[in-house]
Amino acid sequence: MEDDAPVIYGLEFQARALTPQTAETDAIRFLVGTQSLKYDNQIHIIDFDDENNIINKNVLLHQAGEIWHISASPADRGVLTTCYNRKRGDFIQGGNTDLSYHGKQLPPPHGDAKGKASDSKVLTCAAVWRMPKELESGSHESPDDSSSTAQTLELLCHLDNTAHGNMACVVWEPMGDGKKIISLADNHILLWDLQESSSQAVLASSASLEGKGQLKFTSGRWSPHHNCTQVATANDTTLRGWDTRSMSQIYCIENAHGQLVRDLDFNPNKQYYLASCGDDCKVKFWDTRNVTEPVKTLEEHSHWVWNVRYNHSHDQLVLTGSSDSRVILSNMVSISSEPFGHLVDDDDISDQEDHRSEEKSKEPLQDNVIATYEEHEDSVYAVDWSSADPWLFASLSYDGRLVINRVPRALKYHILL
C-alpha cells in the first residue's frame, strides 16, 4: 500500500464525536463515540499501526446515551469526558431504567430530582469516565470479533447541569494536570475542579451570556497560551474570549460569521491567532488584538464547515471538515509562525543584521489548498490531528466512516528540509 494512501474503518454505527489521545504517548490513538437510538452506544478505541498501515480497535460500552462530544484528558491516558443525550422519558419507569456504573448513579435529567418526568424531551449531560486499565497503553491488537465482548467504562463523576441546561462540550485545561475542565451548558460557561482522582467535580466558578433571546454556546476551546488562562467560545454568530481567573469577557467578535459558528481553534504557536468556521461555508482567521476584520478567509467548502484544526507542530497546516463530505488540508503559511518557510524567531539568530537584510529580499510563501480528501460519502462532522504523529490526521463522517490520512510526503519534506 502506498505511504500516502488513506486507511478506512467503518464503525457500523452513526457517529460524530472524535478526539485524539492527548496524554503523552507514542501510540497513534483516536477515540470515537457513536450515536444509536436502537442499540447501546459505544466508544471505539482506534489504535493505528503506522508501520503496517492497519487499525486495531477495542470497544467500550457507553450505555448512558448518544455521544455528541468526546474529549480525552491531557494528563491521564485512561480518562475521558463525554456529552451525551438522555431522555426524560427514560425515567418514567422509576428505578428500573436508571443507569449506574460501578455503584455510581447517573443523574436524572434536570427538572425532576426524582426522575419521574412525563415527557420525552432529550437533554444533554456530561460525565467523566475511566477506561479499563489494560486498554490505556494503546498497544493492543483487535480482539477476535467472533468471541469478544465490549468492555464497560467506569463512571468517575458527572458534571451536574441541574441548574444550567444542556451540555454542548467539555474542554480540558491544555498541558495541565487533568484537574481542570470547562463545560458549556446552554448560556453558561462552567469551570470545574476535578478532585479525589476525578471522582468528584466541584464547580469553581461560572459566567453567563447576557442578552436578548435564547443564547446558547455551540463550541469552545481552551487556549494553550497566556498560562492557560483564556478560553474562546462560540454562540450563534459571535466569538468571545474569557479570562478563566475572573470568568470575565476579554474580547468579543460579533458577526464573526454570516451564520452559526460551528467550531474554533487556537494557533498553537501564535498566541493571539484563532481560527473559526461555520454555516456560511467559510473558515476565518483572527488576531484577537484587532477583531474588526479577519486576517484571512477561506471559502473552499460548499456547505457548512463543522470543524477546524491547526496542526500542533506546524501551524501552517489547517484541517477542515464539512457537510459537503470533504476534508480540506490548507497551507496557511502567510499567517503562520513560519511565513518564510522557517520559524521566525530573532532570539535564535546569532547575526541579526545579516538576518534582517536577508529577510528583506524574501517574500512570504503563498497560501494554498494542499489536498482535498473525498473518501467520505456523508457529512464530515469531525477532523483532528494525531497528538503522537504530526503528519497524520483522522476524519469522521456521520455514517460511521473513520478515515486516517497523512500529509503528502512531498510537503512534509518541504517543511522539514
Side-chain angles (χ1 to χ4, degrees), residues 9-13 15 32-34 42 44 46 396 399-402:
Y9 169 72
L11 276 76
E12 300 177 2
F13 289 94
V32 183
T34 68
Q42 303 173 344
H44 288 230
I46 305 297
L396 177 69
D399 56 5
R401 179 176 295 183
L402 179 79

Side-chain angles (χ1 to χ4, degrees), residues 85-101:
N85 277 357
R86 302 194 71 193
K87 287 185 179 179
R88 285 188 195 268
D90 289 345
F91 291 80
I92 199 167
Q93 304 298 326
N96 295 334
T97 56
D98 289 358
L99 296 169
S100 63
Y101 290 78

Side-chain angles (χ1 to χ4, degrees), residues 276-326:
S276 62
C277 62
D279 286 2
D280 58 1
C281 311
K282 296 177 182 179
V283 180
K284 297 187 178 184
F285 300 86
W286 305 91
D287 182 337
T288 58
R289 295 166 298 184
N290 179 12
V291 297
T292 54
E293 292 288 336
V295 177
K296 203 91 175 179
T297 301
L298 289 179
E299 300 184 48
E300 300 295 337
H301 285 288
S302 58
H303 208 270
W304 303 345
V305 187
W306 284 85
N307 243 183
V308 58
R309 287 290 179 271
Y310 278 104
N311 186 287
H312 308 302
S313 302
H314 309 284
D315 57 280
Q316 67 265 50
L317 302 178
V318 177
L319 272 179
T320 52
S322 165
S323 298
D324 64 12
S325 304
R326 297 185 302 159

Side-chain angles (χ1 to χ4, degrees), residues 22-63:
T22 51
E24 193 170 324
T25 175
D26 294 330
I28 299 170
R29 168 174 281 191
F30 294 94
L31 306 178
V32 183
T34 68
Q35 291 193 329
S36 173
L37 292 172
K38 188 175 181 181
Y39 301 101
D40 282 336
N41 282 281
Q42 303 173 344
I43 292 175
H44 288 230
I45 303 173
I46 305 297
D47 290 315
F48 183 59
D49 181 344
D50 197 27
E51 288 186 11
N52 298 306
N53 227 37
I54 58 173
I55 282 174
N56 295 312
K57 61 104 176 181
N58 284 274
V59 177
L60 299 170
L61 282 180
H62 185 278
Q63 294 168 307

Side-chain angles (χ1 to χ4, degrees), residues 353-372:
E353 289 304 316
D354 288 349
H355 172 65
R356 291 194 190 98
S357 61
E358 182 183 320
E359 289 301 342
K360 287 178 182 177
S361 65
K362 282 191 174 184
E363 291 293 327
L365 300 174
Q366 292 297 305
D367 300 335
N368 65 303
V369 171
I370 297 163
T372 299

Side-chain angles (χ1 to χ4, degrees), residues 317-338:
L317 302 178
V318 177
L319 272 179
T320 52
S322 165
S323 298
D324 64 12
S325 304
R326 297 185 302 159
V327 174
I328 295 179
L329 175 61
S330 299
N331 191 15
M332 304 306 296
V333 67
S334 73
I335 54 172
S336 74
S337 58
E338 303 180 12

